[in-house]
Amino acid sequence: MGWKAAEKLITKWKILRGDNVMIIRGKDKGETGTIKRVIRSQNRVIVEGQNLVKKHVKQGQGHEGGIFTVEAPLHVSNVQVIDPVTGRPCKIGYRFMEDGSKVRISRGREASGSVIPRPEILKMRRKPRPIEPGPKDTPIDVVLEKTYDAKVGIGMPDL
């Protein structure tokens, strides 16, 4: 990526992994799908089952070669989130609810103004949190040890 393209990176993303989107430009115009992956360094998204291209892979150790069909990335400006009420593509805005929570709403000419829920897939972690401590984790008894007390003078520097 050149420096000109790097200047135009999107800082605040409104499209998230797991959103239902419609492709508004390109060879798959009008098709819908779910966002499988977001590539923020290139302003691109991969839509599940759309923008399929043939990829020629050379045979190597551990894998076979051949011609495979893969999903190519689309620029984020070529997709729009689908309004959950009307089923048509819409822009996304943000609004604060009465309880103080920030939600996404549908905006645009034919939008209903309804809340667009966060995708369920974002609640799951890609890598599960480790349950048992690893070799570099600090033992719990060392963590709970009291090493500083201002009243008694424990841990005070000698001045």
Side-chain angles (χ1 to χ4, degrees):
M1 176 189 322
W3 63 274
K4 280 282 191 188
E7 283 181 348
K8 298 176 184 175
L9 287 179
I10 297 172
T11 53
K12 295 184 180 177
W13 281 72
K14 297 181 178 182
I15 294 179
L16 304 172
R17 180 171 53 102
D19 275 339
N20 290 324
V21 295
M22 181 179 281
I23 299 173
I24 57 173
R25 285 188 205 94
K27 67 177 185 178
D28 291 329
K29 179 179 178 177
E31 298 291 325
T32 61
T34 306
I35 292 197
K36 190 175 180 181
R37 185 171 168 222
V38 176
I39 307 169
R40 293 181 183 222
S41 62
Q42 299 175 2
N43 287 346
R44 294 182 178 271
V45 293
I46 295 177
V47 181
E48 198 168 346
Q50 303 301 328
N51 199 28
L52 299 173
V53 295
K54 301 282 187 181
K55 184 169 183 169
H56 295 254
V57 178
K58 190 175 181 182
Q59 183 176 358
Q61 274 187 330
H63 61 79
E64 286 189 30
I67 301 172
F68 299 103
T69 304
V70 295
E71 297 151 342
L74 286 161
H75 196 269
V76 73
S77 65
N78 297 337
V79 296
Q80 277 190 333
V81 174
I82 296 176
D83 190 338
V85 175
T86 62
R88 299 188 51 89
C90 66
K91 296 177 182 177
I92 297 175
Y94 285 96
R95 186 166 291 156
F96 288 95
M97 302 301 278
E98 291 84 19
D99 61 349
S101 62
K102 187 177 178 183
V103 294
R104 300 187 302 165
I105 59 160
S106 59
R107 289 190 321 112
R109 186 180 268 181
E110 299 175 4
S112 63
S114 63
V115 174
I116 300 172
R118 271 180 75 81
E120 291 292 323
I121 195 166
L122 293 178
K123 294 178 182 171
M124 298 183 291
R125 290 178 60 94
R126 285 193 174 181
K127 294 180 182 175
R129 289 192 175 121
I131 297 169
E132 55 270 339
K136 294 187 177 182
D137 290 336
T138 308
I140 193 70
D141 55 340
V142 175
V143 171
L144 297 175
E145 180 184 346
K146 193 170 187 179
T147 57
Y148 175 75
D149 191 0
K151 293 180 181 176
V152 180
I154 299 172
M156 295 291 290
D158 295 327
L159 299 175

